[in-house]
Amino acid sequence: MIRRYYEVIVGTIIVAFLAVSMFLAWDDALTFDEIAHIPAGYSYVTQHDYRLNPEHPPLLKALSGMALLPLRPTFDITQDYWTDVNQHGEYDQWRAGHMLLFGANNPTDLIAFFARLPIILIATAFGIFLFLWGKRMGGVITGLFALILYAFDPNVLGHNHFVTTDLGIAVAIAVAFFFFFRFLQKPTWRNMIYGGVALGSALVTKFSAVMLLPFFGILLLLYPSIMIIRTGQKRLHLVLAYLGKGICAIIIACTVIWATYMPLTYRMPTDVLTTLVATKNQADIHPRDTYFSAIILATNTTVITRPFATYTQGLMQVLNRVDGGNGAYFMHTNTSRASKWYFPFVFIAKETPLHLFFYTIAVLLGLLAIARTFYVFAHQSFKISIRRVRLFVVRHFAELAMLLFTLWYAYTAITGNLTIGFRHLFPMLPLIYLLTAKTIVDSYKKIYNPTKRKTVRLAFILSITMLMGITVAAFPYYMSYFNALFGGSKNGYNYVTDSNADWGQDAKRFKRYLDAHPEITSIRVDYFGGDNIPKRIGDRYIGWWDSKRPVEPGYYAISVNALQGSLYTTERMPDDTYVWTRALTPIDQVGTSILIYHVQ
């Protein structure tokens, strides 16, 4: 029955996914990073100048900027955020964002909504793409299962409507994998072009896509080396043919980079990049920056080569950003030194229990299949065993490659020094969805006992229903979702904050809360995020921060990110922090990220 009506089921899921995303795009306030990304994207398409936010490639920001063109918001390029670098050696993207969104009588909420639309459309289209890929891998049920894991993941719903690169790079890497596998299976010139364009698109989405270059390069040499040849073609010739087309694909990817950056940089003066290089803080300089700077200065001399200078500048900045770390609260500590437990914890805490259940089942089934395979090999001759291993790898090359990339990416995240939240793990998710769906469905197909098949099918349907129910029940607090094992969305901030729990998304809800409580005539606010609270709540606003003294009687609204970062800092004395809140119980919680206190 499902196979007969699968198109209706897929359509229903996609429409619901789109509707929820559109609602959240309007209901969630501006998040911290959007203040930089939105003005950057708008400046790219209107000024054709890339001085703002070069740390991230332009594709998604430019699409959001194009979506703002019908609104024609005022953007003043005579201000010092555009003409001068700040004390950090950068053009001030944050001040530019505050001007565009709050300082020029522009429609703030409408700008945010329009800028978010391209991200939503990409996320929605990818749901269809993921279903079709899963269907191609293992049939309709596999495709539907992968789609459900994606569309009902609270983390996806929490970030698929923000102007950031996190969901976009997950999409771009997955699409690059799809076309890469398509090329390996049929190494035609057409598939090579598709693969090169997909790779280039990933590289202009986020710099973490650079990881694809060595990974795809190794697979490109490995696949023809192990595949079974039946045509009499010499293996060396086959390897060279793949390698030659792979080099052509890289050239196409570089062309995509150039073609993306060119219209966004051709009006940028030469001295913009030379100023950024010259004013770089000496404390932030890494030995590799000498080489990066040489490339930047050499390619910045002409409009034609400047796209590569801009790309190199961004890559240099993001590598230094990773090395420098990110100060964040995690498990009663607040430091820029990353814990190796950070990403394993947020993955377990922020996925639904049913997602984790399915992932665990898939891992166990995969290990069981590997054990059975090696058991059979152990009872064969060495020559036969090697041939069977090679045949197994060729038949499951795509799944094995996706698994290896997932493990490699997880390793780099865990051992890296950038704890920016669960969103940093997004590139793994589509591959995990597909691997989970295919492994479980393939195992089910091997059950021949009717009674056992019926039992497994009922358990599967019940589990899927529970997964969907958990996600629906979490509405609308998807960005700050934590599963019940960690106290749910309202209490997850006790373990970890930043974009896991508090990115400023509840500012509009805060305004509605105050409208419903007229007895609060004034309130002291310490807000973390992208919104402009004084503009939103008017005369009720009193600015506050953790070390401000004396603590006055009245109402306080404190973002949990500011609260936890203050309580667990080691850089100030306790009396200069929010230690006084320990003696109080919040009288309310706005959304999930703003605590309301009343001091008598």
Side-chain angles (χ1 to χ4, degrees):
M1 183 175 177
I2 292 178
R3 290 184 178 88
R4 183 181 302 177
Y5 297 105
Y6 76 86
E7 292 178 342
V8 175
I9 297 172
V10 170
T12 302
I13 293 173
I14 291 298
V15 169
F17 181 86
L18 177 61
V20 170
S21 303
M22 295 283 280
F23 173 84
L24 292 174
W26 182 260
D27 200 50
D28 279 347
L30 283 159
T31 57
F32 190 87
D33 283 15
E34 288 181 296
I35 295 297
H37 289 186
I38 292 175
Y42 187 63
S43 70
Y44 301 162
V45 299
T46 57
Q47 308 302 320
H48 309 284
D49 189 312
Y50 208 82
R51 70 185 67 196
L52 296 180
N53 194 239
E55 183 180 331
H56 299 284
L59 183 59
L60 298 176
K61 292 180 291 182
L63 291 174
S64 292
M66 292 172 65
L68 295 181
L69 293 177
L71 298 179
R72 302 180 67 181
T74 300
F75 185 66
D76 189 355
I77 61 172
T78 65
Q79 300 295 319
D80 57 2
Y81 56 72
W82 187 262
T83 58
D84 303 315
V85 295
N86 59 21
Q87 66 271 23
H88 303 293
E90 300 173 350
Y91 291 92
D92 201 331
Q93 57 199 10
W94 307 104
R95 288 195 58 230
H98 280 281
M99 191 290 299
L100 173 68
L101 292 159
F102 310 115
N105 294 320
N106 291 323
T108 302
D109 293 339
L110 204 58
I111 288 176
F113 181 76
F114 269 66
R116 290 168 169 177
L117 288 178
I119 313 300
I120 295 173
L121 295 177
I122 290 171
T124 304
F126 182 68
I128 300 172
F129 179 89
L130 195 65
F131 163 75
L132 294 174
W133 189 0
K135 180 172 176 283
R136 178 180 176 137
M137 290 177 63
V140 169
I141 302 302
T142 300
L144 273 174
F145 191 9
L147 173 60
I148 290 171
L149 290 174
Y150 168 76
F152 288 89
D153 189 330
N155 299 287
V156 171
L157 291 168
H159 286 268
N160 71 350
H161 54 283
F162 294 146
V163 186
T164 60
T165 57
D166 303 302
L167 195 282
I169 190 56
V171 172
I173 285 179
V175 171
F177 263 96
F178 174 83
F179 284 104
F180 179 72
F181 293 146
R182 185 173 172 178
F183 167 73
L184 290 182
Q185 293 168 357
K186 293 183 179 179
T188 63
W189 287 103
R190 174 180 293 182
N191 286 342
M192 180 275 294
I193 294 173
Y194 290 155
V197 171
L199 177 60
S201 298
L203 292 171
V204 294
T205 299
K206 193 170 185 176
F207 285 114
S208 53
V210 171
M211 294 178 65
L212 294 175
L213 295 175
F215 190 79
F216 282 179
I218 293 172
L219 296 184
L220 194 68
L221 295 175
L222 181 62
Y223 185 79
S225 300
I226 65 171
M227 67 183 296
I228 309 299
I229 299 179
R230 298 186 178 89
T231 62
Q233 184 180 10
K234 292 183 178 180
R235 190 170 300 280
L236 179 60
H237 292 168
L238 189 62
V239 171
L240 292 176
Y242 270 92
L243 181 60
K245 289 180 179 177
I247 293 173
C248 291
I250 291 176
I251 293 172
I252 291 174
C254 291
T255 303
V256 171
I257 293 174
W258 180 88
T260 304
Y261 273 85
M262 182 63 186
L264 310 179
T265 60
Y266 74 88
R267 286 186 181 174
M268 184 169 67
T270 303
D271 63 358
V272 169
L273 289 183
T274 55
T275 300
L276 289 177
V277 172
T279 58
K280 185 173 178 59
N281 190 331
Q282 294 299 312
D284 296 332
I285 291 180
H286 189 280
R288 64 171 173 257
D289 291 354
T290 302
Y291 304 102
F292 277 121
S293 298
I295 295 172
I296 294 168
L297 295 176
T299 54
N300 186 43
T301 54
T302 68
V303 172
I304 299 300
T305 58
R306 189 163 299 138
F308 297 115
T310 310
Y311 191 84
T312 306
Q313 171 69 30
L315 182 59
M316 178 177 69
Q317 285 189 221
V318 79
L319 289 174
N320 290 338
R321 172 86 162 82
V322 171
D323 290 340
N326 182 71
Y329 167 76
F330 173 57
M331 298 293 284
H332 298 176
T333 62
N334 187 40
T335 176
S336 59
R337 296 188 63 184
S339 167
K340 298 298 184 290
W341 293 105
Y342 181 88
F343 283 113
F345 175 85
V346 296
F347 187 84
I348 293 172
K350 288 187 63 63
E351 283 281 38
T352 74
L354 272 301
H355 277 85
L356 297 174
F357 169 75
F358 283 125
Y359 300 158
T360 302
I361 294 297
V363 169
L364 293 176
L365 290 172
L367 292 175
L368 181 61
I370 292 173
R372 286 174 176 172
T373 301
F374 277 97
Y375 176 80
V376 172
F377 293 162
H379 292 76
Q380 303 287 343
S381 68
F382 179 77
K383 185 176 181 179
I384 294 176
S385 297
I386 292 299
R387 180 174 177 80
R388 290 198 176 201
V389 168
R390 188 169 71 176
L391 184 61
F392 177 84
V393 172
V394 170
R395 287 178 175 175
H396 300 279
F397 192 83
E399 297 98 297
L400 291 171
M402 289 157 58
L403 175 61
L404 287 174
F405 182 82
T406 300
L407 293 175
W408 182 39
Y409 190 92
Y411 173 79
T412 59
I414 291 171
T415 59
N417 196 39
L418 191 60
T419 50
I420 62 173
F422 182 95
R423 62 194 179 97
H424 190 53
L425 300 178
F426 273 25
M428 299 164 40
L429 294 184
L431 306 183
I432 292 175
Y433 301 147
L434 289 166
L435 289 172
T436 299
K438 189 173 192 313
T439 302
I440 292 177
V441 174
D442 283 356
S443 296
Y444 170 78
K445 291 176 181 178
K446 295 176 182 177
I447 300 175
Y448 299 107
N449 183 291
T451 303
K452 190 175 181 180
R453 282 179 67 92
K454 183 177 180 181
T455 302
V456 172
R457 184 167 61 249
L458 289 174
F460 177 76
I461 293 173
L462 177 62
S463 298
I464 285 290
T465 303
M466 291 174 61
L467 183 152
M468 297 168 69
I470 289 172
T471 301
V472 170
F475 177 86
Y477 306 125
Y478 291 129
M479 197 218 79
S480 55
Y481 173 82
F482 284 79
N483 62 52
L485 296 174
F486 297 91
S489 302
K490 292 281 188 178
N491 298 294
Y493 72 88
N494 288 303
Y495 301 95
V496 62
T497 56
D498 207 340
S499 62
N500 299 297
D502 177 14
W503 226 10
Q505 72 277 8
D506 287 322
K508 290 185 179 181
R509 299 181 185 101
F510 180 51
K511 171 63 165 61
R512 294 199 294 268
Y513 175 84
L514 291 181
D515 289 344
H517 292 79
E519 72 276 10
I520 303 178
T521 57
S522 64
I523 188 165
R524 294 149 187 83
V525 181
D526 189 353
Y527 166 76
F528 174 85
D531 210 87
N532 188 319
I533 296 295
K535 182 177 180 180
R536 194 167 290 279
I537 70 172
D539 293 340
R540 292 180 172 185
Y541 175 83
I542 300 174
W544 202 263
W545 56 92
D546 57 351
S547 61
K548 188 174 181 180
R549 294 296 185 274
V551 177
E552 303 168 348
Y555 292 94
Y556 291 76
I558 306 174
S559 290
V560 295
N561 197 50
L563 178 68
Q564 299 293 69
S566 175
L567 287 176
Y568 295 96
T569 184
T570 58
E571 298 178 355
R572 296 195 303 277
M573 298 298 293
D575 288 344
D576 289 331
T577 71
Y578 278 126
V579 67
W580 56 268
T581 63
R582 294 186 186 278
L584 302 174
T585 299
I587 64 171
D588 222 328
Q589 185 173 7
V590 178
T592 60
S593 68
I594 301 176
L595 300 180
I596 307 297
Y597 291 91
H598 188 207
V599 176
Q600 300 290 342

